[in-house]
Amino acid sequence: MAMRRILMTSLLLAGWSITAEAAPAQDTLLPASVIFATSTGYWEDDGNAPDVERAPTGAERVANSEEKGTQRHGYYKLFAVRQPDRTSKVYLQQIAQTETGPAIASTIELQEFSDLKPYVTDIRPENSNGIIKQPGLFATVYLKTDPAAEPDGWTVLIDEFGDITVEKATN
């Protein structure tokens, strides 16, 4: 009986050490500074249209430029990244659905939020039914400009033409 306990304890501890070694690799999947994210909306184009209709600041372009001229479609991702001063920056990505899986088509910082130096408290899509097949995006970013204040809702709207509007939510 004692031998069985020693064997079981050894196996259990060996399993924990393997799990503990594997866990840090998963941490790099999503940086700790990404505090809220939502994927929602839908976009499509003929491959010749510009990605998001804004001058990007520090844009990241990952989608293959050889695909220009071919029909593309995908969804949007809206996410907040915490800064060292505890405020956040909000970014919008176009995610292209490709034969090999999702690929980032474009990434831009939404300057309207950066100018506020907000403390983002939540990001929510219009609904929780998943990616919709209607062109555009509607999401709400909840933020505070003073850490002691109540959060305000701000809407991010992308219409069927790809125009982006960021404004304080009205009820």
Side-chain angles (χ1 to χ4, degrees):
M1 185 69 146
M3 192 63 134
R4 179 181 276 173
R5 276 191 209 156
I6 293 171
L7 178 62
M8 295 300 285
T9 303
S10 298
L11 289 173
L12 185 61
L13 290 174
W16 276 345
S17 65
I18 291 170
T19 304
E21 290 173 15
Q26 292 176 347
D27 288 347
T28 60
L29 187 61
L30 185 65
S33 60
V34 175
I35 54 175
F36 297 101
T38 188
S39 296
T40 188
Y42 179 79
W43 63 269
E44 65 182 6
D45 64 31
D46 61 2
N48 293 316
D51 292 320
V52 177
E53 292 281 332
R54 289 188 175 200
T57 56
E60 172 187 354
R61 181 136 176 85
V62 180
N64 189 350
S65 60
E66 295 172 6
E67 295 175 4
K68 285 290 186 190
T70 61
Q71 182 71 27
R72 301 182 316 160
H73 68 280
Y75 56 94
Y76 295 100
K77 186 187 308 180
L78 188 65
F79 60 97
V81 178
R82 187 173 180 172
Q83 303 301 298
D85 66 356
R86 296 181 42 219
T87 63
S88 300
K89 292 189 177 191
V90 179
Y91 294 89
L92 175 68
Q93 287 183 329
Q94 278 183 292
I95 308 297
Q97 295 285 66
T98 67
E99 290 180 17
T100 58
I104 298 170
S106 68
T107 302
I108 64 165
E109 179 182 341
L110 295 178
Q111 195 62 45
E112 293 88 344
F113 291 115
S114 297
D115 292 346
L116 293 171
K117 297 198 180 298
Y119 300 89
V120 175
T121 62
D122 199 2
I123 297 178
R124 296 197 182 176
E126 179 178 20
N127 65 54
S128 296
N129 294 331
I131 298 165
I132 57 174
K133 287 292 184 180
Q134 309 288 320
L137 166 136
F138 184 90
T140 305
V141 176
Y142 294 91
L143 60 86
K144 302 176 185 183
T145 53
D146 175 1
E150 288 295 314
D152 291 321
W154 286 70
T155 59
V156 178
L157 174 71
I158 302 176
D159 65 18
E160 65 273 14
F161 305 111
D163 294 331
I164 303 168
T165 304
V166 176
E167 61 189 10
K168 194 167 187 176
T170 58
N171 292 345

